């Protein structure tokens, strides 16, 4: 029997299957890549915590067999910030959607990047609010039909890699759910990075985005990702903005080093307080 | 368990209420605060930011109150005792996370140094107009505990109490100060650490694999685990079963929400704290809290000088409302007089508990200053007729 166990199964709460995601949805694919990255990086699962916000991707927290927190809409990053600061030994992953992270949670996204909090953020970008029925998001490409832009969206979309690079992230990559190996590798790479890492995963929502925009089903979207993606490591993030059906620039855009928040805080306090500075003890107050 | 001496500034001090609250938090074992500046509460976190690196802990100033109120909860699940501090406008922004703390049973403390509202209102002037918001501000059915100090000494003592209640019941505790109590400076005595009782976290002792995050064993409050200990637990703001797994059935909703409510309601008499004076021969009882209780004290003394049979009931616990006490009193007193720095909030609770057996006289005040004792006296005289 064990010969037939899927290698990612130990990372999942199999008692919660089947999951809620639609056929053709890319979120499950990203979870698979995440699990493979955990295997590859041999990370200690007991010190790994995962925090999600609200939305389809927000449900990831409920399916992984880790200390996992399904928080409020937009607030996964500040929750994760508290978790990381209270217990710096934890590896903290934020796993959420584009609407959650960049609209309602946009303020926290840029400030966590600015502070360089040591968090790994995986942002599954399906270009809409999917859980609530496919409404316009800050990431929706111009002219796209959504349930709240029935005549086409008139707003320009956020270019998330550009946003988080400008705010201070030390690692920024983008892949699509077609690029499963590259995505797993990027996640594993982010685990070796200290500081604010951001990985955007472009993912289909066949039920609500592709269907309304007559872009086919999940498989058609894979073909689109395959044909229109161009790997450009180190591409200037100002040039990686997306359009409805145009080229998708993918790759590792940013990989730089600067001290993370806790390193900076400790240095500042030690310098100013000298002998009076007391290192934060383990906070477990049981 | 006794307080960790590193956080206890034992001695006799001259402190304002905000600073005393900070010292109470440190004495209670709080080693994490997330905040966002707002008058008249900022001094609490200013002092914490200066003090906590010298006792081993963290303060972070977040980008807004939405962030502060959930960052502290992340810290709690990371093992810390944590709190945040705000005033009306920030308190409004924190409501969603008070609900999250209630739903996930995250022990934590929200300090609200009340100022005049609504909206930006009176940033530097007092009110007590967030009392109902503290109880009902987040959506859905839930219970919290709220305490009301009336002096810097109580800001110290009751902050410790607030943390202790948060741990005992795994509930967010609202610490309802007001601008005057926050900014008045008085003598504050901080006892030695071995005289300060601190309630430890209800941490599970179950072996890995046997722990269920929301399983209760008779006493209605589940045991907690922290991230990184190997339990691999799941926490959600969705309606959840004992495993912490989402479950959207009316049965699970009923069981969960009733337990969240009853773990506090059933203990209401035990949680209730109040100060009473001259109640045995009273015909009229002045019910007050926070700074208003100190103005009421003067009015009561004036009334008693006029031989009016007036007693005093000062609420220290506002929520759960000590309705048993009001019910007992209403069996023999004629009336309650309820002055507060709002246009009528806790008076409704007094009226409800009195259930028509004693009359209720509100002494409303829109905030911006405290009452004049004469106004309370007038109400006492009227109530005595």
């Amino acid at each position: 029997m064990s010969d037939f166990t899927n290698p990612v199964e130990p990372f999942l709460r199999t008692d919660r299957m089947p999951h809620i995601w639609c056929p053709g949805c890319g979120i499950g694919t990203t979870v698979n890549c995440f699990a493979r990255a955990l295997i590859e990086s041999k990370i200690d699962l007991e010190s790994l915590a995962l925090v999600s916000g609200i939305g389809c991707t927000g449900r990831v927290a409920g399916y992984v067999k880790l200390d996992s927190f399904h928080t409020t809409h937009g607030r996964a990053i500040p929750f994760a910030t508290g978790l990381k600061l209270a217990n710096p030994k934890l590896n903290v992953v934020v796993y959420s959607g584009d609407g959650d992270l960049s609209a309602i949670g946009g303020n926290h996204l840029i400030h966590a990047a600015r502070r360089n909090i040591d968090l790994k953020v995986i942002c599954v970008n399906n270009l809409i609010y999917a859980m609530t029925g496919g409404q316009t998001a800050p990431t929706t490409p111009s002219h796209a039909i959504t349930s709240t832009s029935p005549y086409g969206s008139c707003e320009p979309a956020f270019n998330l890699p550009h946003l988080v690079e400008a705010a201070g992230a030390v690692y920024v990559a983008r892949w699509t759910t077609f690029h499963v190996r590259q995505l797993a590798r990027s996640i594993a790479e982010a685990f070796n990075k200290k500081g604010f890492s951001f990985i955007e995963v472009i993912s289909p929502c066949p039920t609500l985005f592709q269907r309304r925009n007559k872009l086919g089903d999940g498989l058609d979207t894979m073909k689109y990702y395959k044909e229109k993606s161009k790997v450009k490591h180190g591409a200037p993030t100002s040039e990686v903005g997306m359009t409805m059906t145009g080229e998708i620039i993918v790759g590792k855009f940013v990989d730089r080093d600067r001290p993370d928040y806790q390193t900076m805080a400790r240095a500042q306090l030690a310098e100013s307080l000298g002998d009076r500075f007391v290192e934060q003890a383990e906070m477990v107050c049981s | 368990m006794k307080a960790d001496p590193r956080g206890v500034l034992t001695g006799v001090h001259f402190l304002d209420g905000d600073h005393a609250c900070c010292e109470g938090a440190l004495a209670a074992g709080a080693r994490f605060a997330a905040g966002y500046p707002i008058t008249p509460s900022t001094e609490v976190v200013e002092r914490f930011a200066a003090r906590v690196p010298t006792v081993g802990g963290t303060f972070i100033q977040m980008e807004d109150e939405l962030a502060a109120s959930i960052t502290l909860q992340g810290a709690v699940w990371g093992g810390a005792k944590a709190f945040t501090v705000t005033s009306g406008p920030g308190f409004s922004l924190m409501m969603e996370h008070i609900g999250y703390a209630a739903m996930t049973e995250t022990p934590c403390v929200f300090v609200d140094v009340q100022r005049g509202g609504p909206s930006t209102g009176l940033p530097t002037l007092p009110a007590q107009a967030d009392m109902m918001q503290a109880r009902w501000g987040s959506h859905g059915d839930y219970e919290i505990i709220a305490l009301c100090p009336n002096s810097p000494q109580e800001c110290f003592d009751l902050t410790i109490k607030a943390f202790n209640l948060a741990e005992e019941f795994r509930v967010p505790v609202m610490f309802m100060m007001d601008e005057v109590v926050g900014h008045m400076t008085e003598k504050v005595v901080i006892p030695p650490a071995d005289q300060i009782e601190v309630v430890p976290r209800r941490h599970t002792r179950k072996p890995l694999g046997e722990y269920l995050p929301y399983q209760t064993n008779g006493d209605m409050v589940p045991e907690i685990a922290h991230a990184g200990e190997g339990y691999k637990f799941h926490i959600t703001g969705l309606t959840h079963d004992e495993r912490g797994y989402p479950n959207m059935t009316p049965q699970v909703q009923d069981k969960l929400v009733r337990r969240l409510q009853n773990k506090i309601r059933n203990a209401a008499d035990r949680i209730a704290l109040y100060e009473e004076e001259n109640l045995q021969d009273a015909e009229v009882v002045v019910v007050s809290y926070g700074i208003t209780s100190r103005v009421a004290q003067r009015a009561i003394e004036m009334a008693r000088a006029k031989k009016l049979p007036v007693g005093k009931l000062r609420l220290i616990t506002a929520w759960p409302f000590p309705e048993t006490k009001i019910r007992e009193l209403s069996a023999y007193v004629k009336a309650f007089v309820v002055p507060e720095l709002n246009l009528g909030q806790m008076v409704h609770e007094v009226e409800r508990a009195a259930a028509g057996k004693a009359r209720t006289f509100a002494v409303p005040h829109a905030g911006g200053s405290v009452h004049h004792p004469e106004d309370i006296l007038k109400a006492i005289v009227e109530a005595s007729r």
Side-chain angles (χ1 to χ4, degrees):
Chain A
M1 183 63 192
S2 62
D3 291 351
F4 300 102
T5 305
N6 187 313
V8 305
E9 219 167 86
F11 301 92
L12 300 176
R13 295 183 191 275
T14 48
D15 54 346
R16 289 218 56 219
M17 300 294 147
H19 57 68
I20 62 160
W21 298 313
C22 301
C25 171
I27 299 169
T29 308
T30 72
V31 174
N32 209 312
C33 294
F34 175 67
R36 284 171 198 277
L38 297 182
I39 298 170
E40 192 183 314
S41 58
K42 298 190 177 63
I43 204 148
D44 171 28
L45 297 182
E46 294 206 353
S47 65
L48 181 65
L50 188 142
V51 184
S52 289
I54 298 295
C56 289
T57 310
R59 293 304 184 97
V60 169
Y63 297 129
V64 291
K65 204 187 274 177
L66 299 168
D67 291 329
S68 58
F69 300 90
H70 184 224
T71 64
T72 52
H73 197 18
R75 320 299 168 203
I77 286 177
F79 184 98
T81 298
L83 195 58
K84 178 69 185 174
L85 296 187
N87 185 353
K89 284 190 216 149
L90 293 173
N91 257 308
V92 182
V93 174
V94 171
Y95 212 122
S96 218
D98 49 306
D100 185 77
L101 288 166
S102 77
I104 189 167
N107 200 25
H108 313 311
L109 177 71
I110 57 175
H111 286 282
R114 173 180 65 81
R115 294 185 183 105
N116 202 21
I117 305 273
D118 186 19
L119 301 175
K120 325 296 162 200
V121 180
I122 298 169
C123 174
V124 179
N125 182 358
N126 55 16
L127 313 176
I128 40 152
Y129 286 95
M131 179 69 92
T132 45
Q135 294 79 23
T136 309
T139 45
T140 302
S142 293
H143 317 302
I145 307 288
T146 74
S147 70
T148 48
S149 60
Y151 309 112
S153 171
C154 62
E155 296 182 18
F158 252 152
N159 170 351
L160 295 179
H162 190 40
L163 178 72
V164 294
E165 182 191 11
V170 293
Y171 183 95
V172 182
R174 173 200 278 158
W175 300 103
T176 76
T177 51
F178 174 73
H179 300 88
V180 289
R181 288 184 186 282
Q182 295 92 327
L183 173 59
R185 208 175 305 136
S186 258
I187 296 170
E189 214 167 76
F191 276 120
N192 290 320
K193 204 75 198 157
K194 201 164 174 64
F196 191 84
S197 300
F198 184 86
I199 299 169
E200 182 186 32
V201 194
I202 308 299
S203 172
C205 178
T207 310
L208 298 166
F209 185 81
Q210 271 73 22
R211 177 175 58 84
R212 283 209 178 94
N213 288 286
K214 303 193 168 29
L215 296 170
D217 59 13
L219 190 59
D220 293 321
T221 311
M222 285 299 116
K223 284 180 195 152
Y224 162 56
Y225 289 167
K226 185 184 173 199
E227 283 158 20
K228 292 288 182 92
S229 293
K230 200 168 241 177
V231 180
K232 276 192 192 168
H233 294 302
T237 54
S238 58
E239 294 168 13
V240 305
M242 289 182 41
T243 58
M244 263 284 267
T245 51
E247 201 171 61
I248 305 171
I249 309 294
V250 295
K252 179 168 77 176
F253 304 137
V254 177
D255 189 348
R256 58 187 172 183
D257 290 305
R258 68 186 182 100
D260 76 299
Y261 177 84
Q262 276 165 309
T263 306
M264 290 186 291
R266 211 177 296 119
Q268 180 79 45
L269 293 168
E271 189 192 326
S272 299
L273 287 168
D275 292 346
R276 290 174 57 224
F277 174 55
V278 176
E279 198 74 50
Q280 177 179 303
E282 273 196 37
M283 286 205 185
V284 176
C285 50
S286 52
Chain B
M1 143 181 176
K2 302 297 175 192
D4 172 1
R6 281 176 302 181
V8 183
L9 203 64
T10 303
V12 178
H13 305 271
F14 192 53
L15 295 177
D16 73 16
D18 282 356
H19 286 178
C21 169
C22 170
E23 290 304 329
L26 287 165
R31 294 294 179 268
F32 189 97
Y36 186 82
I38 184 166
T39 306
S41 74
T42 316
E43 292 90 332
V44 183
V45 289
E46 284 174 343
R47 189 177 177 104
F48 195 81
R51 285 268 286 135
V52 81
T54 68
V55 302
T58 296
F59 169 71
I60 184 166
Q61 185 174 309
M62 294 305 290
E63 50 273 14
D64 55 31
E65 286 93 344
L66 298 159
S69 56
I70 193 84
T71 301
L72 81 94
Q73 298 187 48
V76 169
W77 290 98
K81 282 195 180 177
F83 71 118
T84 190
V85 181
T86 192
S87 187
F91 200 47
S92 292
L93 292 179
M94 291 181 178
M95 286 301 133
E96 184 180 13
H97 292 141
I98 289 169
Y100 188 74
M103 187 61 146
T104 56
E105 301 180 72
T106 302
C108 55
V109 174
F110 289 76
V111 178
D112 176 13
V113 187
Q114 297 170 87
R115 67 191 220 185
S119 190
T120 312
L122 302 168
T124 62
L125 297 170
Q128 297 176 306
D130 305 349
M131 299 306 294
M132 283 291 172
Q133 185 183 26
R135 171 66 187 85
W136 302 104
S138 199
H139 56 278
D141 285 314
Y142 67 102
E143 288 274 340
I144 50 85
I145 295 171
L147 304 178
C148 297
N150 81 344
S151 67
Q153 181 67 53
E154 278 199 351
C155 288
F156 175 82
D157 297 337
L158 294 178
T159 298
I160 299 170
K161 182 85 189 164
F163 277 95
N164 286 348
L165 289 165
E167 296 296 340
E168 183 179 351
F169 292 98
R170 282 191 62 180
V171 71
V173 175
M174 309 297 123
F175 197 62
M176 304 303 287
M177 294 167 57
D178 55 68
E179 186 276 333
V180 179
V181 166
H183 282 163
M184 70 160 52
T185 301
E186 285 182 336
K187 185 168 101 169
V188 175
V189 180
I190 299 183
D194 62 7
Q195 290 173 28
I196 297 173
E197 207 51 53
V198 166
V199 173
R201 187 147 292 174
R202 302 175 79 109
H203 196 280
T204 187
R205 289 193 177 80
K206 290 212 169 123
L208 303 181
E210 283 179 34
Y211 170 69
L212 297 176
Y214 293 103
Q215 188 177 47
T216 51
N217 303 307
D219 65 353
M220 304 186 94
V221 185
E223 294 174 338
I224 201 167
H226 296 130
E229 296 173 335
Y231 287 97
K232 296 183 183 171
F233 59 88
H234 179 59
I235 299 300
T236 178
L238 286 165
T239 296
H240 45 268
D241 61 19
E242 290 185 335
R243 297 171 297 174
Y245 287 3
N247 185 313
M248 302 296 111
T249 62
Q251 292 76 16
V252 170
Q253 166 77 359
D254 186 81
K255 191 175 169 200
L256 174 62
V257 178
R258 280 186 199 277
R259 183 175 63 73
L260 294 179
Q261 184 166 288
N262 290 339
K263 72 174 177 178
I264 304 299
R265 284 200 184 175
N266 295 356
D269 290 344
R270 186 155 62 82
I271 296 168
L273 290 171
Y274 42 78
E275 185 192 339
E276 52 180 80
E277 251 173 55
N278 301 316
L279 291 182
Q280 57 295 342
D281 65 347
E283 286 182 19
V284 172
V285 175
V286 178
V287 181
S288 62
Y289 55 93
I291 190 57
T292 306
S293 67
R294 297 176 66 157
V295 182
Q297 186 73 31
R298 174 86 183 117
I300 292 166
E301 283 162 15
M302 288 155 73
R304 290 190 75 87
K306 290 174 188 275
K307 307 284 181 215
L308 292 172
V310 187
K312 162 177 134 182
L313 181 69
R314 175 168 75 94
L315 305 181
I316 297 172
T317 315
W319 304 111
F321 184 73
E323 59 185 82
T324 308
K325 186 69 187 174
I326 298 291
R327 206 179 308 124
E328 283 167 13
L329 289 171
S330 56
Y332 67 89
V333 306
K334 203 153 70 176
F336 294 102
V337 169
V338 189
E340 45 186 343
L341 289 181
N342 57 54
L343 299 185
Q345 296 195 12
M346 299 309 289
V347 66
H348 296 304
E349 284 297 292
V350 176
E351 197 165 28
R352 182 181 64 81
K357 292 192 183 121
R359 295 173 71 197
T360 307
F361 293 81
V363 190
H365 187 306
S369 71
V370 296
H371 287 78
H372 196 288
E374 289 285 350
D375 294 334
I376 302 172
L377 179 64
K378 258 183 244 165
I380 295 170
V381 171
E382 195 191 336
S384 307
R385 284 203 188 106

